[in-house]
Amino acid sequence: MYTLNDLAELIFPEIKDTVEDLEKRYPKRNLENGAMVTRFAPSPTGFLHTGSLFTSLVSYHLAKQSNGVFYIRLEDTDTKREIEGSGEDLVNQLANFDIIPDEGYLSNSKEIGNYGPYKQSDRATIYKTVIKHLIKIGRAYPCFCTPDDLSKLRESQEKEKLIPGYYGKFAKCRFLTLEEQINKIKAGESYIIRFKSMGNHENKVKVHDEIKGDLELTENDQDIVILKGDGLPTYHFAHLVDDHFMHSTHITRGEEWLSSLPIHLELFATMGWEHPKYAHLPVIMKVENGNRRKLSKRKDPEAAVAFFLEQGYPKYAIIEYLLTLANSNYEAWRAANMDKSYEDFVLTFDKMSLDGALFDLDKVANIAKERLAIKKAKDVVAEVKEWALVYDKDFYDRIVKDEEFFTKIINIERDKPKPRKDYAKYSDIYPIISFFYNDNYDKLSETKFEWNDNKPKEDIIDILNDYADNINLDLDETEWFNTIKELATRHNYAANMKDYKKNPELFKGSVAEASEFIRVAVSGRKNAPNLYYVLSILGVEEVRRRINVAIKNLKEN
Ligand code: GLU
């Protein structure tokens, strides 16, 4: 007579450790009350998705604010979907956003922490130890069904309109005797290992989610695969083992896992282990033609975190935006605490959205504009340089060639009580300021400037010539503007807008138009930063040179 022990030994002769040994090797963490142990558990299947940045940010933040531990575990058991090097890329991308794990997987050759290995493919022995135990207690068994058997089963279940899957009476290999199982294995038949469920899909289980509250879900009755033919576990089983021995206190994962929660709860209960708390985070959605849909890798460039980095959205703006998605009170907190770092904000589950979080690129841009506007010029310059070095080498070279000049440009109006919000991303900057550079300006002058076609060319030329003869930039902004008003008056352009609006027929134009002539002359464009600063940065000589170039441009076009 065979026993379950014989079966377990036959399948895993190399496994000598027991679950107790593992418990000793991975003792409870010594943390203060309330400290959360959270993790980010990516699969190395490609780039960092914006949704993953969101979940990892939430997990990281929860651990930090509670003096807990945040770790990274690489879930690389699906070898077919793995993309070489993407595990390390994910870690680096997170580091870009200051999400640095306390422990876990760092690269294929580096990890830190006492609860490893943190790469699932290196943990096969641990999984097998637990499975050996489950076999011994009769809650796991070898399944010899071939892919063909399984597809036939699916077809017949579909035909009879039954719930598909390997469960109850359909779980054929459950009913093999020990002797049959052992003989098949000895005869070299291939097999995988399944969990033996005791559930019934007619029952409901009560589950609690930290965000969604108390829920009732259909009980699990599927004999899920726990060990695949390649000797690696499936997600469900790896989750049980890893989050138990790594002592995660909170599983913060995407909402798409909520429906498998009954499986996980049954697995934990079978092992007699306390399960961690679960918080299923909203999926990031997008509105398209009035309908909500998931942010898609294929359709939405903003689904990839790399998009934001390439475009040069400041990282802190993206993080703050994601925090507004995470907690509905973040924005109000931010407005009341402008001097604090987003790290000081305390995330709570009860302020998390219950259904999909909507992604809004305009809002990202607005947050970025606000944050960039209140920064010191030298900090913005440092950020732009860091970005340009990687994404726009020409721009970078220009900046470093004369950093003082660039800093002056970035500093325009930064001292004002209400700074202008011109830039949402670093890549916005160069197109707006390129005219400051003489070579760009000269190149632009080969095409027609944005002149005001409603005014006689002679007016524009007279005003520009007059200004070229009377440039004075050793004045403050108000004094300087007075010189422009005087200039306007000399040409019968109203110095005062009110007067002009009241009796436009008395004047040839207004001071606003006169200053626009100068703006177009020195920048080629109607839209340019504050003229006073533009002129001051260019300096008297260059302004005069540009006025001459501009008059030529006006005459020729
Ligand atoms: N590897 C899983 C994923 O890629 C992790 C889910 C979890 O956090 O448990 O979504």
Side-chain angles (χ1 to χ4, degrees):
M1 271 292 279
Y2 288 119
T3 63
L4 286 167
N5 253 347
D6 297 329
L7 178 64
E9 288 305 332
L10 178 65
I11 296 180
F12 297 118
E14 77 283 17
I15 301 296
K16 302 289 176 222
D17 278 353
T18 62
V19 172
E20 289 70 44
D21 294 327
L22 293 177
E23 298 288 6
K24 277 193 210 117
R25 196 180 318 153
Y26 303 112
K28 261 206 149 76
R29 291 166 183 275
N30 202 355
L31 293 170
E32 63 189 65
N33 251 350
M36 291 187 184
V37 179
T38 63
R39 82 296 190 277
F40 175 50
S43 301
T45 52
F47 60 85
L48 183 62
H49 192 281
T50 303
S52 304
L53 177 62
F54 177 63
T55 45
S56 55
L57 174 68
V58 170
S59 311
Y60 173 79
H61 206 96
L62 289 170
K64 292 290 121 183
Q65 74 187 26
S66 62
N67 291 326
V69 175
F70 169 75
Y71 69 88
I72 295 184
R73 178 171 73 227
L74 195 70
E75 307 218 318
D76 61 342
T77 58
D78 192 349
T79 36
K80 278 187 237 99
R81 286 176 59 225
E82 180 159 353
I83 293 178
E84 184 80 26
S86 64
E88 299 179 15
D89 283 353
L90 289 167
V91 173
N92 295 336
Q93 293 241 38
L94 288 186
N96 250 322
F97 289 89
D98 296 331
I99 300 180
I100 316 270
D102 299 302
E103 65 182 51
Y105 169 90
L106 296 179
S107 75
N108 284 343
S109 55
K110 196 165 174 214
E111 55 176 49
I112 38 168
N114 297 328
Y115 291 85
Y118 294 91
K119 191 160 108 178
Q120 288 182 334
S121 56
D122 291 340
R123 297 173 61 77
T125 316
I126 301 174
Y127 303 122
K128 287 177 181 171
T129 305
V130 179
I131 295 178
K132 192 169 182 182
H133 168 81
L134 285 174
I135 293 177
K136 283 185 190 174
I137 64 167
R139 294 302 299 275
Y141 63 90
C143 170
F144 302 90
C145 289
T146 61
D148 192 42
D149 294 334
L150 297 176
S151 60
K152 281 197 186 114
L153 171 64
R154 203 175 318 116
E155 275 166 32
S156 74
Q157 286 169 329
E158 268 167 24
K159 218 183 274 156
E160 292 175 53
K161 301 215 165 13
L162 293 164
I163 295 176
Y166 206 83
Y167 62 97
K169 66 173 184 196
F170 304 110
K172 216 170 77 192
C173 291
R174 248 186 196 228
F175 303 105
L176 295 174
T177 62
L178 268 175
E179 195 162 26
E180 284 168 325
Q181 290 172 329
I182 288 174
N183 287 341
K184 276 173 179 286
I185 293 173
K186 284 192 174 155
E189 273 193 46
S190 43
Y191 61 93
I192 45 104
I193 308 282
R194 288 184 185 270
F195 171 63
K196 189 191 272 182
S197 169
M198 294 299 184
N200 182 334
H201 62 247
E202 314 228 307
N203 297 341
K204 294 277 176 206
V205 272
K206 285 197 168 52
V207 300
H208 180 78
D209 181 87
E210 297 298 304
I211 300 171
K212 297 173 193 298
D214 291 324
L215 304 169
E216 283 201 349
L217 299 177
T218 303
E219 194 169 85
N220 175 57
D221 64 353
Q222 297 278 342
D223 283 2
I224 58 150
V225 176
I226 55 179
L227 197 69
K228 299 179 290 165
D230 60 4
L232 288 173
T234 52
Y235 167 75
H236 304 301
F237 186 69
H239 157 51
L240 164 86
V241 173
D242 295 347
D243 284 308
H244 174 72
F245 288 116
M246 293 178 186
H247 299 280
S248 312
T249 62
H250 289 74
I251 307 302
T252 41
R253 63 184 176 190
E255 205 164 39
E256 66 271 25
W257 295 107
L258 182 63
S259 58
S260 21
L261 187 51
I263 302 177
H264 305 149
L265 294 180
E266 191 186 0
L267 287 169
F268 274 99
T270 305
M271 287 305 296
W273 292 341
E274 196 183 327
H275 65 78
K277 294 197 163 114
Y278 289 91
H280 289 91
L281 297 170
V283 170
I284 299 203
M285 318 272 274
K286 193 169 169 154
V287 178
E288 190 179 57
N289 306 328
N291 295 323
R292 284 171 167 230
R293 62 164 174 78
K294 265 172 127 175
L295 205 57
S296 127
K297 283 192 199 183
R298 212 164 29 83
K299 293 191 203 155
D300 312 310
E302 70 270 34
V305 168
F307 162 82
F308 296 100
L309 298 178
E310 277 160 30
Q311 294 278 310
Y313 285 94
K315 293 161 195 168
Y316 44 84
I318 300 164
I319 291 189
E320 295 213 36
Y321 173 68
L322 293 176
L323 288 173
T324 69
L325 286 188
N327 262 191
S328 51
N329 55 330
Y330 181 78
E331 273 180 284
W333 175 87
R334 172 39 98 203
N337 296 283
M338 277 315 273
D339 52 327
K340 292 206 174 136
S341 154
Y342 61 79
E343 287 169 8
D344 298 325
F345 177 72
V346 179
L347 275 176
T348 49
F349 288 123
D350 64 343
K351 294 278 191 307
M352 282 189 197
S353 128
L354 290 178
D355 48 355
L358 280 189
F359 196 83
D360 180 350
L361 197 52
D362 290 341
K363 196 155 167 195
V364 180
N366 277 336
I367 294 180
K369 279 184 181 171
E370 279 174 16
R371 298 295 178 275
L372 276 173
I374 57 172
K375 288 219 148 193
K376 294 214 165 56
K378 72 169 183 11
D379 295 335
V380 177
V381 171
E383 288 172 23
V384 177
K385 267 171 68 183
E386 197 187 333
W387 171 81
L389 182 61
V390 182
Y391 297 102
D392 190 347
K393 191 64 176 40
D394 290 348
F395 185 23
Y396 177 81
D397 290 342
R398 241 179 227 283
I399 297 171
V400 292
K401 208 163 158 207
D402 191 348
E403 197 164 320
E404 205 188 317
F405 182 65
F406 180 65
T407 309
K408 278 189 203 156
I409 300 172
I410 291 298
N411 201 30
I412 292 177
E413 290 198 316
R414 243 161 235 281
D415 51 347
K416 300 247 154 144
K418 267 205 171 161
R420 287 178 60 111
K421 297 173 188 164
D422 289 326
Y423 317 123
K425 44 192 191 304
Y426 310 127
S427 59
D428 288 343
I429 298 177
Y430 191 57
I432 296 178
I433 65 146
S434 61
F435 73 86
F436 274 100
Y437 294 93
N438 295 350
D439 59 330
N440 290 333
Y441 172 83
D442 291 337
K443 184 117 204 15
L444 194 64
S445 74
E446 289 165 15
T447 55
K448 189 184 173 190
F449 284 172
E450 289 180 4
W451 297 111
N452 181 341
D453 290 327
N454 298 325
K455 292 290 165 197
K457 281 189 182 182
E458 304 75 63
D459 277 18
I460 305 178
I461 293 170
D462 286 350
I463 289 178
L464 287 180
N465 273 327
D466 186 347
Y467 189 59
D469 292 341
N470 293 291
I471 307 170
N472 184 354
L473 298 171
D474 293 325
L475 304 168
D476 71 20
E477 196 176 347
T478 320
E479 291 165 350
W480 165 82
F481 194 55
N482 285 336
T483 68
I484 301 295
K485 285 183 181 168
E486 286 156 20
L487 168 76
T489 311
R490 288 200 290 278
H491 298 269
N492 196 22
Y493 274 59
N496 182 316
M497 290 307 285
K498 258 202 207 131
D499 296 346
Y500 179 65
K501 282 196 181 127
K502 226 193 269 163
N503 298 303
E505 68 291 351
L506 296 181
F507 304 95
K508 289 168 117 185
S510 74
V511 65
E513 285 158 321
S515 12
E516 191 191 271
F517 301 157
I518 303 173
R519 178 176 300 114
V520 174
V522 297
S523 72
R525 304 192 304 229
K526 284 184 180 160
N527 261 327
N530 181 315
L531 184 56
Y532 167 70
Y533 291 89
V534 170
L535 300 175
S536 309
I537 292 170
L538 291 173
V540 177
E541 227 168 278
E542 177 61 12
V543 172
R544 197 170 287 136
R545 181 187 83 83
R546 289 191 181 195
I547 287 179
N548 286 325
V549 172
I551 290 176
K552 198 162 158 257
N553 179 282
L554 180 61
K555 284 183 178 162
E556 287 171 2
N557 286 288

